[in-house]
Amino acid sequence: MHSVIVVPPSYGDQRSRTDDQIRIASGERLAFGRAADDGGGLIIAHEGVPRIAGEITAHRSFWLLSNLSENQTYVVENPEGAGEHIKVTPGRLEAPVPFEFSRVVLPAAGNLLTFDVWAPCHTFGSVARHELTGTSTTPAFALDRTKRYFAVLAALCEPRLRGEPHAPLPAVDDLVARLRPVWPAVSRSAVYWNIDYLATKLRLRPGPDTAEPGRRTNGKKESLVSLALRFDLVREDDLAVLAPTVSKVAR
């Protein structure tokens, strides 16, 4: 089981695909910078990035960041943390990063370059069971209902949870409109990103490499909804994370 997944940066309008992800298991390391090392690394092709800019180490359900630059501070943002971030100063080794998913920001010759790191194997304990003896049961699907990815999953499942078991799944534009009241900055790319993240977190395989991007996304949404409803990962009560649907008021 891979504990950390690195999503390479996108350039221009080109989005990173799910099958471009770099997966590292607990204890493994991944160097990043302008040049890859002999063991392979994350190449960030920008003249303002050092040849070996840093290193990521997977450690159980979180990861460590080493800043190997001489004079640049790196910032690791929590995209859902309302500005929550940590700073990793030059030369700092193995700074722990606790976020379930993170955005690493590298200053480079006047630009800010980013790449994402996911730690989808985060674990959650049950307070009510702390007094019990013996080994606790590992949850099959660790979902945090306060995160935006769960709101995206709820919006995907909503039509079928509303009593239409064979309803077509909402398109990405429909998801954006449904989420905007509770997530004003939502965008198509953010929805796509969260769908990719959910597919990884719930251990669903991406569609065939030969499929067109649109068909692959549709298949991914169908798989997510099927899994979520089959195992009650999203229930009708969970739709409270979305804004209430608009209904006509009788006059």
Side-chain angles (χ1 to χ4, degrees), residues 22 25 38 44 52 60 69 82 95 101 119 123 152 187 190 229 233 244-245:
I22 302 171
D38 293 338
I44 304 176
I52 301 298
R60 301 182 67 180
S69 73
F101 44 89
T123 55
V152 172
S187 64
L229 297 183
L233 305 184
T245 54

Side-chain angles (χ1 to χ4, degrees), residues 162-213:
R162 297 287 188 192
E164 302 179 50
H166 303 294
L169 297 183
V172 171
D173 286 337
D174 297 328
L175 293 172
V176 169
R178 185 70 181 97
L179 292 163
R180 181 157 287 127
V182 294
W183 182 5
V186 66
S187 64
R188 287 173 55 89
S189 61
V191 170
Y192 278 121
W193 188 93
N194 278 276
I195 289 173
D196 282 348
Y197 180 77
L198 282 163
T200 299
K201 187 173 181 64
L202 298 180
R203 304 165 195 164
L204 297 175
R205 294 181 179 179
D209 293 337
T210 56
E212 298 175 2

Side-chain angles (χ1 to χ4, degrees), residues 13-33:
D13 295 330
Q14 180 65 39
R15 296 179 61 250
S16 293
R17 301 176 304 167
T18 301
D19 51 3
D20 289 331
Q21 297 166 1
I22 302 171
R23 300 166 182 248
I24 55 178
S26 183
E28 294 181 344
R29 298 173 181 267
L30 175 72
F32 62 88

Side-chain angles (χ1 to χ4, degrees), residues 25-173:
S26 183
E28 294 181 344
R29 298 173 181 267
L30 175 72
F32 62 88
R34 193 172 75 251
D37 60 7
D38 293 338
L42 173 62
I43 298 177
I44 304 176
H46 191 286
E47 61 183 5
V49 176
R51 290 177 58 82
I52 301 298
E55 188 176 68
I56 290 169
T57 304
H59 183 73
R60 301 182 67 180
S61 62
F62 65 99
W63 56 283
L64 310 169
L65 175 64
S66 295
N67 182 349
L68 303 181
S69 73
E70 295 181 357
N71 52 21
Q72 295 289 357
T73 294
Y74 299 159
V75 173
V76 184
E77 301 174 340
N78 176 0
E80 295 193 344
E84 183 181 19
H85 68 279
I86 62 173
K87 295 190 290 185
V88 183
T89 55
R92 172 68 194 274
L93 301 179
E94 298 189 340
V97 180
F99 309 138
E100 185 171 346
F101 44 89
S102 313
R103 181 156 296 137
V104 180
V105 184
L106 310 177
N111 295 319
L112 294 178
L113 307 180
T114 66
F115 62 89
D116 295 335
V117 180
W118 298 347
C121 295
H122 262 47
T123 55
F124 300 89
S126 173
V127 176
R129 301 179 67 88
H130 282 174
E131 296 180 359
L132 298 179
T133 59
T135 303
S136 60
T137 303
T138 301
F141 306 104
L143 293 175
D144 186 342
R145 283 165 166 74
T146 67
K147 299 294 185 182
R148 285 174 180 157
Y149 68 71
F150 187 79
V152 172
L153 183 59
L156 274 171
C157 296
E158 183 179 33
R160 297 183 183 179
L161 283 172
R162 297 287 188 192
E164 302 179 50
H166 303 294
L169 297 183
V172 171
D173 286 337

